[in-house]
Amino acid sequence: VISDLQDTYDLSYQEANHMLTSGGYLIYSTVDTDIQSTLEHYFSDEDNLPETKSAQQLQSAMMVIDNESGDIVGIIGGTGKKEGSLIWDRATLSTLQPGSVLKPITVYATALEQGLITPISTRDDVPSRFTDTACWPPNNDGIYRGLMDIKTAVALSLNTVSVNLVDEMTPQACCSFARNNLHISTFVENRDGLTDLTSWGMGMGSLAYGCNLEEITEAYAAFANNGLYRTGRTYTKITGVDGKVILYNEQDKNQALSTKNAYYMTEMLEETVKSGTGKGAKLQNMPVAGKTGTTDDDFD
């Protein structure tokens, strides 16, 4: 809210903060208090976290978007007891390596929109490069399975198929689609000698600086919303004591991919949870579509 007040009324942070805290405004929040309370309950209890071999405290964050409205209905920025307000929020501020979570955004959505694939198209699960000591790209389980359909490649999160598709489309095309259609803003083309415009960056989610959870969540929400992308929001409007609207928070939106391709993507992500790497996310009372992503040594 403070940021939007700054932009709308050309204010400094201090001026906007004073305006907000002393103006008697009504903020119409999108947060669902039941969902928010549930997040805070489970994330505050560190016994709910999986055990790790590391002595370092495992961290986590979550953002929940209502796919019908595009509104953010719950958000939590860390685990353990909350230590204060307006502190570091990992859901919106941290940039972490997405790993294979990026593949639907950069690779498969782009390929669907280019007409290169459908869920039943076939591609070869074989390495594209060979050295004396290894094959590249490696699959997580070290197995190469030969010809298979795209739905299975997504479900098993195979690096070979996604990297070969990136090479076919070019990393630039994948980056452009994810940036312009699904609004991932953290890609770099040349910063400090680093670039994300590589087959491993776009095809395996190995990025120079990573992504943030908010943008990833908003992108995935577009798959569930018939391909319509909407910027997540935490409030709809702000009114003054006289009832006049001070700020109206209208969402930016665009048709990121066709309804048909959004359906295809959701179908493939449902298969990922039914039979692939995401089986641990199954729920008994509803269908689930999702994607796993890990980095080296399961660090992220």
Side-chain angles (χ1 to χ4, degrees), residues 126-262:
V126 294
S128 57
R129 302 168 204 175
F130 301 88
T131 67
D132 292 337
T133 57
C135 303
W136 194 90
N139 287 326
N140 192 48
D141 57 9
I143 300 172
Y144 299 102
R145 297 166 176 82
L147 280 176
M148 66 172 53
D149 58 50
I150 293 294
K151 183 192 290 189
T152 303
V154 173
L156 298 178
S157 199
L158 300 179
N159 291 327
T160 50
V161 175
S162 60
V163 165
N164 288 336
L165 279 169
V166 172
D167 288 341
E168 188 175 342
M169 296 182 290
T170 74
Q172 291 81 0
C174 296
C175 178
S176 178
F177 180 88
R179 180 183 284 159
N180 296 330
N181 291 51
L182 293 167
H183 303 275
I184 305 298
S185 66
T186 51
F187 297 136
V188 299
E189 297 185 30
N190 186 8
R191 186 192 302 174
D192 302 326
L194 300 173
T195 182
D196 291 327
L197 298 184
T198 60
S199 55
W200 54 90
M202 294 295 105
M204 297 168 63
S206 179
L207 303 177
Y209 297 98
C211 293
N212 72 61
L213 178 62
E214 180 176 13
E215 290 186 346
I216 292 286
T217 308
E218 290 167 353
Y220 269 76
F223 301 148
N225 191 39
N226 296 315
L228 179 65
Y229 172 91
R230 292 170 298 197
T231 304
R233 60 181 177 179
T234 52
Y235 74 95
T236 58
K237 65 179 179 179
I238 301 172
T239 61
V241 290
D242 56 0
K244 291 184 178 179
V245 175
I246 304 299
L247 273 178
Y248 183 69
N249 192 17
E250 189 172 357
Q251 294 164 303
D252 293 329
K253 59 182 69 175
N254 63 275
Q255 193 68 36
L257 64 166
S258 71
T259 300
K260 179 185 73 174
N261 287 332

Side-chain angles (χ1 to χ4, degrees), residues 109 112-115 117 257-266:
L112 284 167
E113 284 294 290
Q114 288 192 8
I117 62 168
L257 64 166
S258 71
T259 300
K260 179 185 73 174
N261 287 332
Y263 171 82
Y264 282 158
M265 182 65 73
T266 302

Side-chain angles (χ1 to χ4, degrees), residues 31-148:
V31 172
D32 182 310
T33 54
D34 290 336
I35 292 173
Q36 185 64 32
S37 295
T38 300
L39 292 179
E40 292 177 4
H41 171 73
Y42 282 99
F43 274 72
S44 64
D45 185 354
E46 293 174 357
D47 289 338
N48 289 319
L49 297 172
E51 293 184 5
T52 68
K53 296 177 182 178
S54 171
Q56 187 178 19
Q57 174 62 50
L58 186 69
Q59 274 298 339
S60 182
M62 183 177 284
M63 177 174 286
V64 183
I65 286 181
D66 180 344
N67 289 323
E68 290 188 5
S69 65
D71 291 338
I72 296 169
V73 293
I75 184 170
I76 195 87
T79 59
K81 185 179 179 180
K82 189 174 180 180
E83 298 176 352
S85 296
L86 301 178
I87 56 177
W88 189 262
D89 183 344
R90 292 170 183 84
T92 59
L93 300 174
S94 294
T95 52
L96 299 168
Q97 297 301 323
S100 295
V101 167
L102 195 64
K103 291 174 183 176
I105 296 170
T106 51
V107 183
Y108 294 110
T110 310
L112 284 167
E113 284 294 290
Q114 288 192 8
L116 292 177
I117 62 168
T118 70
I120 60 172
S121 302
T122 56
R123 283 292 192 279
D124 218 350
D125 173 25
V126 294
S128 57
R129 302 168 204 175
F130 301 88
T131 67
D132 292 337
T133 57
C135 303
W136 194 90
N139 287 326
N140 192 48
D141 57 9
I143 300 172
Y144 299 102
R145 297 166 176 82
L147 280 176
M148 66 172 53

